[in-house]
Amino acid sequence: MSMLKAAEAVREKAYAPYSGFKVGAVVRAKSGAIYSGCNVENVAYPQGTCAEAGAIAAMVAAGETELCEVTVIADSPMPIAPCGGCRQKLAEFGNGDVVVNMFTTSGETTRMTIAQLLPGAFSPQHMKGV
Ligand code: THU
């Protein structure tokens, strides 16, 4: 299945009764396998998790820690951009050149690298010597 098809499919599973904003995300790991995630909200609003976080968690649970491409989709007026926290999460597992494909459900798309989305990310290098 293509990353876009997988992202569309997992978006349908999103649990977003509070915002009504369903998001699907797929990461392709170094092995070539793809992992999907959707946003999962909670009545205690800050406990909700983003689609990207779910996809990353599925990848890590499968034993992979390197992502090579990311696709995100939502029913949005412009291609969905990962939130700040998810940019940091993506930077943990993908180098700056990794492409993030952003889509609307009506087919608009744009792509940016992780480095473009999060220049100067806080990285493990900052903690060298701790
Ligand atoms: N959301 C994501 O899942 N990914 C993003 O990159 C942006 C926002 C979710 C969180 C929340 O459930 C809903 O979209 C509205 O913010």
Side-chain angles (χ1 to χ4, degrees):
M1 190 189 285
S2 74
M3 290 185 78
L4 178 56
K5 287 270 175 236
E8 287 171 335
V10 74
R11 194 185 85 86
E12 295 297 324
K13 304 274 196 269
Y15 179 78
Y18 307 106
S19 72
F21 190 71
K22 294 183 167 200
V23 185
V26 172
V27 298
R28 180 167 55 80
K30 196 177 173 187
S31 71
I34 62 172
Y35 300 97
S36 303
C38 57
N39 52 331
V40 179
E41 298 182 348
N42 192 280
V43 66
Y45 293 172
Q47 303 306 323
T49 51
C50 286
E52 296 89 331
I56 289 169
M59 177 185 77
V60 172
E64 299 210 55
T65 54
E66 196 174 332
L67 58 82
C68 301
E69 191 176 357
V70 182
T71 295
V72 191
I73 188 166
D75 182 3
S76 181
M78 71 278 287
I80 171 74
C83 78
C86 286
R87 295 177 193 206
Q88 180 67 39
K89 290 181 179 73
L90 293 170
E92 180 83 17
F93 297 104
N95 72 43
D97 297 330
V98 166
V99 170
V100 180
N101 306 294
M102 299 166 260
F103 286 90
T104 68
T105 50
S106 52
E108 286 175 272
T109 186
T110 189
R111 57 210 311 259
M112 293 176 80
T113 64
I114 286 179
Q116 286 173 316
L117 288 167
L118 186 63
F122 177 54
S123 84
Q125 294 301 321
H126 290 108
M127 296 186 67
K128 276 272 153 66
V130 173

